[in-house]
Amino acid sequence: MQDVTNEGAAPGLRERKKRATRAALAEAAVRLAAEHGAENVTVEAISEAAGVSPRTFFNYFDSHDDAFVMMDRDAGERVRHAVRAAPAALSPLEAVREALATELVDVAERQEIWRLRATVLQRSPRLLVRGLGAHMAEEIELAEAIAVRLGSRAPNEKSTGASAACGTDASAPDLYPRLLAAVAGTAVRVAVEHWCAQGPDADFSEVFRRVFTLLTDGLAEPPPPAL
C-alpha cells in the first residue's frame, strides 16, 4: 500500500481556501467547546475566533452542532468520487482504502484537534447522537458508491432514506457494499483512536496501513506474544 500521502491532483486555489476556512471554523468550534462546553458556544463566538462573519459560518455548516460533528461535510463526497473513479485493477477494499488514505493525508498534522473533538463529543450526548446519525448516513452513501463500482447499482440510483438503515428499503445496496462501507468506517475510527493513544510521536500512516493490512488478511488471528 502507498503511504497516506496526497498523490492525486492538487485542488485549485478556491477549493484550498474553502477547505482552510472550514477547517478554521471547525477548529475554533472544537477549541471553544473543549474550554466552555459545546452548549455554551455560539455561532458568533466560533465565527469571531475564526475571523469570519456568522453569515460565512452558514456557508460551511448548516447548523451550530454541525461545526463539532462534521468537520468537513464535503469529505464524504470526495471519498465516494475516488472510490467510483479508482483504477479497475484495485479490489473494492483497496479502492476504499486509497480513497480514505488520500482524504486523511493531513490528519497527522491535526492530532490535537482530533483528540479535543473526541472529548467534546464524549461530553455531549446530543452531539454524540448527532455524530452517529451523520456517520450512518455517510456509511450508506459510501455503500452506494461501492455498489456503483461493482456494477450492481446505477450511478444515479439512491436509497430512499432512513428505511435503508433499517434494512427494509428494497433499493438499499446489497450486503457486500454495506458491510465494506461499515468495516471501512470502523477501521478509520480504530486507526485514529489507536494513533491518538500512542502519543505525539506516533506515525498515523503506519497505523492506518496496519489496520487495513489486517482487513486484507481477513483478520487472521495474530501470533501469541513472545515470552
Side-chain angles (χ1 to χ4, degrees), residues 184-195:
T186 300
V188 170
R189 177 178 59 80
V190 170
V192 171
E193 290 175 354
H194 184 78
W195 165 69

Side-chain angles (χ1 to χ4, degrees), residues 102-118:
T102 297
E103 193 57 41
L104 294 169
V105 64
D106 66 344
V107 69
E109 301 171 5
R110 305 180 70 191
Q111 187 179 49
E112 179 193 9
I113 294 302
W114 281 88
R115 285 178 170 173
L116 286 178
R117 179 175 178 267

Side-chain angles (χ1 to χ4, degrees), residues 40-178:
N40 301 315
V41 177
T42 65
V43 168
E44 289 74 17
I46 296 170
S47 303
E48 181 179 357
V52 301
S53 69
R55 181 177 180 180
T56 298
F57 175 94
F58 288 107
N59 289 336
Y60 293 92
F61 299 102
D62 293 332
S63 71
H64 164 273
D65 288 357
D66 282 349
F68 310 105
V69 172
M70 301 180 68
M71 297 181 72
D72 186 348
R73 66 183 179 185
D74 295 331
E77 177 52 38
R78 292 194 295 269
V79 169
R80 294 189 293 273
H81 173 77
V83 167
R84 293 189 296 264
L90 295 182
S91 70
L93 176 58
E94 291 169 334
V96 171
R97 179 195 65 194
E98 295 305 314
L100 291 170
T102 297
E103 193 57 41
L104 294 169
V105 64
D106 66 344
V107 69
E109 301 171 5
R110 305 180 70 191
Q111 187 179 49
E112 179 193 9
I113 294 302
W114 281 88
R115 285 178 170 173
L116 286 178
R117 179 175 178 267
T119 299
V120 168
L121 295 182
Q122 290 166 4
R123 290 175 179 173
S124 175
R126 185 186 80 252
L127 291 181
L128 200 58
V129 170
R130 189 178 183 91
L132 178 60
H135 172 75
M136 291 180 65
E138 289 285 343
E139 184 180 295
I140 291 172
E141 292 192 347
L142 177 57
E144 290 171 343
I146 295 168
V148 169
R149 178 176 178 82
L150 292 171
S152 61
R153 174 176 292 264
N156 59 350
E157 185 180 354
K158 296 290 184 180
S159 300
T160 58
S163 60
C166 300
T168 59
D169 180 8
S171 68
D174 291 336
L175 181 60
Y176 179 86
R178 295 178 70 176

